[in-house]
Amino acid sequence: MRKRSKRQIFEKVSVIDAGAKGKTIAKAPDGRVIFLSNAVPGDIVDVQTTKKRKAYFEGTAIHFHERSKKRTEAECEHFGVCGGCKWQHMAYEHQLYYKQREVENNLIRIGGLELPSIAPILGSKKQYFYRNKMEFSFSNSRWLTLDEINSEEEISAKNALGFHIPGMWDKILDVKKCHLQADPSNAIRLAVKSFSEAHGFQFFNPRSQDGLLRTLMIRTSSIGEIMVIVQFYDDNKEQREKLLGHLKNKFPDITSIQYIINQKQNDSIYDQEVICFSGRDHIFEQMEGLHFKINAKSFYQTNSEQAYELYKITRDFAGLTGNELVYDLYTGTGTIAQFVAKKAKKVVGIESVPEAISDAKSNASLNQIENTFFAVGDMKNVFTDDFIAEHGTPDVIITDPPRDGMHKLVVEQLLKVMPEKIVYVSCNSATQARDLALMKDHYVVEKVQPVDMFPQTHHVENVVLLQKRSSF
């Protein structure tokens, strides 16, 4: 072991496992864990530490003595800098292995659950170009590579349209080609950048809070519809209409071109007016004959094809016969609620975001679904005894909460209601396991199905079927 200032170098360390948040794990000579950002299990590396904590280190592999057989070549030229696809250098079969194992470990270690045989993780047919929504940021002072910084050449091209460097709110990587969203996404982004530079439009500076161009969002659907939303900081009508008119002419297949004037500190759009420049103010997605209207602020699963698989699993786990009253907690825009409605007597959806419930009602009307009801409000305040007395005691509850899981009061209410079945869809198996642990005395885990919605990342969805114990 050598020391370099406050950082340490550990030589010929074996990378032994994959950990949380896309990190991999090695062990220091003193037994402490080292979390690595650029290695694959099976690598043998020299590690330079970047952080030292009482129980662990964080570090970077600076020399590879032996490369793991689990490695593969990353597709994207931005891999390792962008931070968006941290597992591109791991072969997909091994990505799936570690995702499955994470689900199993969380359910057992955090949940203390007795599990049935867990179904093999459902991989994604598309491992690249699977996302239907991408958001890019403009910057007039792009992120420079080490080679550029060390070069004696003057850097003249300073504009960027791409992604935030992880952990750096004001640093944007200029993206040449992104492998997450299918064409014409890259072509649209590059056209916006080149036209804006050719006409001298000012890219945003987040520190000084000035510039014309702030963010670009591109949404697509499986039926070929495209939405483009440009967020401007300066309200310059002439420049705005030049850019948007160029997009309209160059890409006549774009269904919806919209814009936002946002002069607040952050670039979130949910409290902003979205103005339609050309076409519709929405696009449509289709799933099993159902149509879903998606606007600029709508939530919709970002991997459309895998969302269909996820919803089929959810419906199969619910085992509906047509006679059940179903509650769909955290219903979002009501996609699951409407997807299961034809096999249920009635579906009641609850969601905290008013715009999402408005979309859910609109989509139910669009699809001529008459056996759904949607309520808006904080889950712990809406899902109450009075609400159940008014709308009926559910036979089946489907819950698909955000990453933080369910509030403990919501879990307590579930245990008061005690439906025959609970189908728990989760994007975070750790918080899912925590919630399931609170219900394990009353429910048995019947089925577990992990689903990979996000290839090249460490994220994994999981669906669990709970059956009420016979003693209750």
Side-chain angles (χ1 to χ4, degrees), residues 28-171:
D30 65 2
R32 275 185 283 184
V33 165
I34 310 170
F35 292 108
L36 299 172
S37 59
N38 63 334
V40 168
D43 286 338
I44 298 176
V45 299
D46 291 345
V47 173
Q48 180 171 304
T49 63
T50 55
K51 289 183 181 179
K52 180 180 179 181
R53 298 290 184 262
K54 186 175 181 180
Y56 66 90
F57 295 97
E58 292 183 21
T60 303
I62 57 173
H63 178 72
F64 289 80
H65 295 277
E66 187 176 323
R67 293 184 181 267
S68 172
K69 293 179 181 179
K70 297 174 182 176
R71 278 186 166 271
T72 190
E73 288 296 319
E75 291 282 335
C76 181
E77 67 180 281
H78 304 298
F79 173 73
V81 181
C82 166
C85 301
K86 294 180 180 178
W87 279 7
Q88 267 195 55
H89 58 344
M90 191 189 304
Y92 190 54
E93 64 191 278
H94 300 296
Q95 295 181 32
L96 294 178
Y97 168 81
Y98 286 111
K99 293 184 185 197
Q100 171 117 12
R101 208 185 58 171
E102 177 185 305
V103 168
E104 293 178 0
N105 287 343
N106 284 338
L107 294 182
I108 293 170
R109 294 178 183 177
I110 298 174
L113 302 167
E114 294 181 12
L115 299 177
S117 178
I118 297 179
I121 186 170
L122 182 65
S124 175
K125 291 179 181 177
K126 290 181 179 177
Q127 285 135 47
Y128 289 98
F129 303 112
Y130 58 81
R131 287 185 64 99
N132 57 38
K133 177 184 175 185
M134 295 297 294
E135 297 176 80
F136 307 96
S137 296
F138 293 87
S139 172
N140 68 352
S141 181
R142 68 177 174 85
W143 175 258
L144 300 179
T145 66
L146 269 178
D147 288 342
E148 287 177 314
I149 292 171
N150 294 330
S151 170
E152 295 181 359
E153 296 181 11
E154 183 178 350
I155 306 297
S156 58
K158 293 186 177 180
N159 288 331
L161 177 52
F163 301 124
H164 286 268
I165 297 294
M168 298 184 181
W169 63 274
D170 62 334
K171 302 298 183 184

Side-chain angles (χ1 to χ4, degrees), residues 184 188 217-229 244 247-258 275-285 292-296:
I188 291 171
M217 181 193 297
I218 302 174
R219 304 190 78 148
T220 58
S221 76
S222 62
I223 59 174
E225 298 200 333
I226 305 165
M227 175 187 292
V228 178
I229 306 110
L244 299 181
L247 277 180
K248 180 180 178 181
N249 294 329
K250 187 174 180 65
F251 300 95
D253 291 339
I254 294 178
T255 313
S256 170
I257 299 177
Q258 302 181 70
I275 302 165
C276 188
F277 175 82
S278 174
R280 298 194 231 112
D281 66 355
H282 60 275
I283 59 175
F284 285 106
E285 184 55 273
F292 298 99
K293 186 170 74 171
I294 297 170
N295 62 46

Side-chain angles (χ1 to χ4, degrees), residues 41 233 328:
Y233 184 81
D328 181 25

